[in-house]
């Protein structure tokens, strides 16, 4: 779990195998001839694997070792990859790592006749998901066994337990391999001489056993990505020889750091992406040999102890994305060997210590996403080796240091979202010859001086000047030919787009964000490589500009565009996101747009004047995940071709003129979460589901203001299982991650939005929290009773049945909806009493039963003490506060309200839903990485990617 600079990522992908093993050939000797039976065993082994054509070897393929094994060559001890005992002539070492061995291997393999093997390395081959052969246990003299990244699967055989002389065991890199029976506990009880144990990527799915503490010779323990559970035994940190401990990427592994003793030999600690928590002990300072220390993306709290300054051997320090608070200790300035310092995404406050400017070996300094104040220390310009400096998302003030141009090695400078002010000398900053990325958006610079800036900056590929008080497009851009990404959103750029701008970086530009300006026209587009164009929230008039064929994401929402959607749009064969919402586009949606369904994931046309019917899909392939055509005048019926859109999550046809019955055929769309059909001409009974498990993921269903009739769909209520289960990780939004460059390494987040009636008010949700569960069937002609089964939808937040013709009483089962915030049953024909049990609903903030035939006392406890008279009007039989009518019968008097503290607590719980941080859901598009190694890679870098992603967010 080492962090990688952005520019090395691609290189790293190609180099992954090197990470697992080195493939040096063992020295061979010619002093003794090898034994004939071993020689023939080896030749037989070669034969069994050598028939595979070298062309299938792929990028790891090298067969140099096996090629040196020749029938005519008597002394096998000379062969590459072999080591023999000088005295006995027996083969003791075999290294066939990265030798393009392909195909299954079993216990009959001649390899297992090499009874004197002490070292066996078969790493980085492809044994095609066979089991590790039982016969491995016959090689009892083995001291070193390396089977890493060799595509073995299934349980590790118990015969491995016979290898009690093993000092080094590497089974890493095969995530189909399991260690359950025997588990890790048994393994370490038998293999007591282990010094190196690497089980990375293995499916362990269990706690780390205490027995590991008995491995007194252990020097390295690598358990990266093993799905470890439980609490890590702290005593393992104290193993007398332990130098390397890697537990990274075990999100369910909790633990604490112990008090460390002086003299601890630990050199490398990797605890990133775990659930380790607690504080960093002052005794950390005792780890005098510590060289690399990674705890990024874990759950540590408290201060960074100043004793950290004792760790003078440190070269890498990664504390990013924890909850560390307090000031950055100035003692960090003593770590003069440090080349990487990552403290971003914590709660650190105070100033950037001037002492950091002593760290002259620093190449990466990331302090972003904290609460740092004060100025950027001027001396920072002495860090001449810095290649990446990220101070973004803090509260830094003052100017950018004048001598910034001393940072000759600087490639990335991120300063966005601070309160930096003064005049920004862009010409000075851009003097940095190596600068490729400059992100200055969202600061408070008074002006950006560019006197006579007419230079071209051939290295500059990313420029962020969003929210920088620009009143026009900076002319120096016309000299740039290498820009790939340009963000000028949220400025005051007005008027038509000048011609020179439209010819800037025409063969390079991939990302252009001009949203939230006052641009009035935008026409020809010459950028032949453009992937993302965001022009939303401007004042662009005229016809819809047609983006280049290369486009992935095109946003022009909230402008003044008029005219038709040109059929030219149907040629955008790569498009993933198309947002034309809130313009004045009229006419019929061109039927050919349905051709785009095999790439298009997001289609947002809402708030225009489109009429006619929604195009029927022409092909069976449909990648659509989100369709919003609300607020148009679409007619006809719902296009049944959408049944092919198996990934559809969000469908909004609100405020159109669709004439249809309930689309029960959508029930098989198992990802569908949001279905909004408000105010159309839907009619007829919803009826009962015809199959099982219909709409299993539905969470928001709004069928209000139609002509649905018949009884309420109780059979469907039973099937809407997503509203029945509480999932802990629901605190994310409906959003899509849109790739913004061809490598899919950077993303922007596109939020889904909607307006619905909540708590009696029309509310716009610019982002939708995934746990918002809503049923709105109001203003239809539903009759009959409210089915009891509603009570099983225990995660329901809003329930609106108002303006129907429902009869009978309010079911008691509604009291089971313990997170319900809004309940509207008004304007029906409900009778009977308001169940007292509803007073248990401690989140209930809106309650309306007005205009029914209810009778009896109004509950007088908890939430019910907050509802006003409007909630109850038009029910002649109701009595008690807030109505003026007193209740006569003392038997009906409810119990007294709970005493102060409890009542207060209950009321206090009427909190609005908070805003969590966005996590990946649904659409991670373009992640077409198929090989296991690449998937593994993606997992490791998830945290890092998230950081990058949040650099830019659509609207
Ligand atoms: C044995 O190996 C040595 C070097 O290791 C080499 O100089 C010598 O020629 C070899 N002898 C034979 C007989 O191959
Ligand atoms: C294990 O190692 C010890 C000490 O090196 C040795 O005496 C013993 O023979 C080895 N056991 C096996 C089964 O090779
Ligand atoms: C982090 O630790 C806190 C307690 O300190 C715990 O409540 C929370 O669940 C932990 N976070 C994660 C992501 O596990
Ligand atoms: C370790 O750091 C503390 C606090 O900075 C300091 O008082 C102590 O002298 C240091 N110990 C050593 C051995 O340097």
């Amino acid at each position: 779990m080492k962090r990688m600079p952005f520019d090395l990522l691609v290189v790293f992908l190609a180099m992954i195998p090197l990470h697992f093993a080195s493939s040096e050939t063992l020295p061979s000797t010619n002093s003794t001839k090898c034994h004939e039976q071993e020689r023939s065993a080896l030749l037989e082994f070669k034969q069994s694997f050598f028939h595979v054509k070298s062309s299938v070897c792929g990028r790891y393929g090298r067969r140099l070792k096996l090629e040196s094994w020749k029938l005519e060559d008597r002394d096998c001890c000379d062969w590459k990859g072999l080591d023999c005992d000088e005295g006995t002539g027996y083969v003791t070492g075999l290294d066939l790592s990265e030798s393009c061995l392909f195909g299954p291997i079993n216990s009959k393999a001649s390899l297992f006749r090499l009874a004197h093997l002490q070292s066996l390395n078969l790493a980085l081959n492809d044994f095609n998901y066979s089991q590790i052969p039982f016969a491995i246990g016959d090689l009892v003299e083995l001291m070193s066994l390396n089977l890493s990244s060799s595509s073995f699967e299934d349980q590790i055989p118990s015969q491995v337990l016979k290898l009690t002389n093993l000092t080094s065991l590497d089974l890493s890199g095969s995530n189909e391999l399991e260690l359950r029976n025997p588990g890790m506990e048994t393994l370490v009880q038998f293999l007591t001489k282990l010094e190196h144990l690497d089980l990375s990527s293995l499916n362990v799915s269990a706690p780390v056993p205490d027995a590991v503490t008995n491995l007194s010779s252990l020097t390295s323990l690598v358990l990266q990505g093993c799905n470890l559970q439980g609490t890590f035994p702290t005593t393992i940190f104290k193993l007398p020889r332990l130098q390397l401990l890697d537990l990274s990427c075990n999100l369910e592994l909790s633990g604490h750091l112990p008090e460390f003793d002086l003299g601890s030999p630990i050199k490398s600690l990797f605890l990133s992406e775990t659930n380790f928590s607690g504080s960093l002990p002052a005794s950390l300072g005792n780890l005098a040999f510590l060289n690399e220390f990674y705890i990024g993306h874990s759950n540590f709290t408290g201060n960074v102890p100043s004793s950290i300054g004792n760790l003078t051997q440190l070269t890498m320090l990664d504390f990013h994305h924890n909850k560390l608070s307090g000031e950055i200790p100035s003692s960090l300035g003593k770590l003069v060997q440090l080349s990487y310092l990552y403290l971003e995404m914590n709660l650190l406050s105070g100033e950037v210590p001037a002492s950091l400017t002593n760290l002259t070996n620093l190449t990466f300094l990331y302090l972003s996403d904290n609460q740092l104040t004060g100025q950027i220390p001027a001396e920072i310009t002495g860090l001449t080796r810095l290649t990446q400096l990220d101070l973004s998302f803090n509260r830094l003030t003052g100017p950018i240091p004048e001598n910034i141009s001393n940072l000759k090695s600087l490639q990335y400078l991120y300063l966005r979202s601070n309160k930096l002010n003064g005049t920004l000398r862009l010409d000075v900053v851009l003097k940095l010859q190596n600068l490729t990325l400059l992100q200055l958006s969202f600061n408070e610079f008074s002006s950006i001086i560019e006197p006579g800036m007419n230079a071209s900056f051939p290295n500059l590929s990313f420029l962020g000047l969003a929210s920088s008080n620009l009143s026009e497009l900076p002319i120096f851009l016309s000299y740039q030919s290498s820009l790939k990404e340009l963000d000028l959103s949220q400025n005051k750029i007005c008027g038509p787009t000048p011609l020179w701008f439209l010819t800037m970086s025409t063969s390079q530009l991939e990302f252009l964000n001009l949203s939230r300006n006052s641009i009035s026209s935008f026409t020809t587009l010459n950028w032949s490589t453009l992937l993302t164009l965001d022009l939303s929230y401007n004042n662009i008039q005229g016809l819809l500009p047609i983006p280049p064929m290369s486009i992935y994401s095109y946003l022009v929402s909230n402008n003044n565009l008029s005219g038709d959607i040109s059929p030219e749009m149907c040629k955008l064969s790569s498009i993933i996101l198309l947002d034309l919402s809130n313009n004045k586009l009229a006419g019929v949606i061109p039927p050919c747009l349905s051709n785009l369904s095999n790439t298009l994931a997001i289609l947002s046309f809402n708030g225009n004047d489109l009429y006619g019917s929604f195009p029927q899909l022409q092909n069976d392939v449909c990648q659509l995940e989100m369709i919003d055509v609300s607020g148009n005048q679409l007619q006809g019926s719902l296009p049944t071709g959408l049944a092919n859109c198996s990934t559809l999550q969000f469908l909004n046809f609100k405020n159109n003129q669709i004439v249809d019955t309930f689309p029960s055929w959508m029930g098989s769309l198992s990802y569908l979460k949001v279905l909004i059909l408000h105010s159309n001409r839907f009619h007829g009974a919803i009826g009962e589901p015809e199959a099982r498990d219909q709409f299993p993921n539905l969470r928001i269903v709004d069928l209000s203001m139609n002509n649905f009739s018949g009884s309420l769909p109780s059979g469907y209520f039973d099937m809407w299982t997503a509203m029945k289960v509480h999932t802990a990780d629901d605190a994310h939004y409906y959003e899509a991650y849109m790739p913004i460059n061809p490598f899919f390494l950077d993303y922007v987040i596109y939020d889904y939005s909607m307006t619905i009636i909540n708590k009696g008010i029309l509310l716009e949700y610019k982002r939708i929290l995934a746990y918002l569960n809503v049923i709105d069937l109001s203003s239809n002609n539903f009759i009959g009773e409210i089915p009891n089964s509603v009570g099983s939808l225990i995660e329901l937040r809003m329930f609106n049945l108002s303006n129907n013709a429902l009869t009978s009483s309010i079911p008691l089962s509604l009291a089971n909806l313990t997170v319900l915030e809004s309940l509207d049953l008004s304007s029906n024909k409900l009778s009977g009493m308001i169940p007292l049990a509803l007073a248990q609903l401690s989140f209930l903030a809106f309650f309306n039963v007005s205009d029914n035939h209810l009778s009896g006392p109004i509950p007088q406890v908890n939430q019910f003490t907050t509802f006003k008279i409007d909630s109850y009007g038009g029910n002649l039989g109701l009595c008690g506060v807030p109505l003026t009518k007193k209740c006569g019968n003392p038997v009906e008097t409810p119990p007294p309200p709970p005493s102060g503290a409890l009542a207060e607590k209950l009321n206090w719980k009427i909190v609005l839903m908070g805003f969590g941080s966005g996590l990946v859901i649904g659409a991670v598009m373009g992640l077409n990485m198929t090989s296991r190694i690449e998937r593994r890679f993606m997992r490791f870098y998830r945290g890092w990617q998230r950081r990058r992603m949040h650099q830019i967010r659509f609207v």
Side-chain angles (χ1 to χ4, degrees), residues 638 651 660-667 675 677 682 695 703 708 716:
L638 285 178
L651 186 74
D660 206 340
T661 53
F662 180 71
S664 52
W665 49 270
M666 283 188 192
L675 175 62
L677 303 176
F682 285 91
F695 300 100
L703 307 180
F708 285 115
Y716 280 110

Side-chain angles (χ1 to χ4, degrees), residues 140-141 165 193:
V140 288
E141 294 184 27
N165 266 0
K193 296 184 182 169

Side-chain angles (χ1 to χ4, degrees), residues 275 277 299 301 323:
N275 195 18
S277 58
N299 204 359
T301 50
K323 294 179 198 131

Side-chain angles (χ1 to χ4, degrees), residues 403-475:
N403 295 330
I404 192 91
S405 50
N406 290 352
L407 296 174
K408 294 276 182 259
S409 315
L410 205 60
Q411 294 170 1
Y412 290 7
L413 180 59
Y414 291 91
L415 298 174
R416 74 163 282 180
S417 300
N418 276 289
K419 295 174 176 167
L420 298 172
N421 52 31
T423 47
L424 169 64
R425 293 288 305 268
L426 207 53
D427 55 328
V428 174
V429 180
L430 287 174
K431 277 210 188 100
L432 294 167
Q433 283 300 311
N434 289 310
L435 203 63
T436 58
L437 186 151
L438 179 61
Q439 177 50 290
L440 300 171
S441 302
F442 300 100
N443 277 291
E444 294 169 5
F445 297 116
S446 50
S447 72
I448 296 181
I449 299 192
E450 26 165 318
M453 265 183 76
N454 56 6
S456 155
F457 304 101
N459 284 323
L460 191 65
S461 80
F462 179 106
L463 179 63
L465 290 173
S467 187
S468 297
N469 275 323
L470 299 176
S471 53
E472 56 187 32
L473 290 163
I475 189 88

Side-chain angles (χ1 to χ4, degrees), residues 144 195 426 465 564 646 660 794:
S144 166
E195 294 167 16
L426 207 53
L465 290 173
D564 288 354
S646 58
D660 206 340
I794 55 169

Side-chain angles (χ1 to χ4, degrees), residues 640-756:
T640 49
L642 293 180
N644 288 329
C645 303
S646 58
T647 49
L648 195 67
Q649 296 184 27
F650 182 106
L651 186 74
N652 190 349
F653 268 79
K654 177 177 174 152
N655 294 339
N656 279 289
Q657 294 158 25
I658 302 288
V659 182
D660 206 340
T661 53
F662 180 71
S664 52
W665 49 270
M666 283 188 192
S668 58
L669 298 176
S670 57
Y671 291 99
L672 192 68
K673 294 180 172 131
V674 179
L675 175 62
I676 303 179
L677 303 176
H678 169 95
S679 190
N680 276 284
R681 299 188 192 150
F682 285 91
H683 55 84
I686 292 183
E688 292 302 313
E690 281 162 21
R692 296 166 135 256
D693 304 324
Q694 299 293 287
F695 300 100
N697 254 309
L698 202 60
R699 285 172 171 273
I700 296 177
V701 49
D702 181 354
L703 307 180
S704 57
M705 297 268 279
N706 280 291
N707 282 320
F708 285 115
S709 55
S711 50
L712 290 174
S714 63
Y716 280 110
F717 291 161
D718 287 339
M719 290 185 176
W720 292 345
T721 46
M723 303 196 206
K724 295 183 184 186
V725 279
H726 179 71
T727 36
D729 59 346
D730 269 355
H732 52 228
Y733 297 93
Y734 293 148
E735 60 200 358
Y737 282 23
M738 308 307 299
I740 60 173
N741 63 31
F743 300 110
F744 298 103
L745 287 171
D746 293 298
Y747 296 81
V748 274
I749 298 168
Y750 180 82
D751 293 300
Y752 297 176
S753 59
M754 64 173 186
T755 44
I756 54 166

Side-chain angles (χ1 to χ4, degrees), residues 776-796:
D776 188 346
L777 304 178
S778 64
S779 301
N780 280 289
N781 299 316
F782 289 112
I783 55 169
E785 58 183 30
I786 302 174
N788 246 317
S789 59
V790 164
S792 65
L793 304 170
I794 55 169
E795 290 295 313
L796 200 57

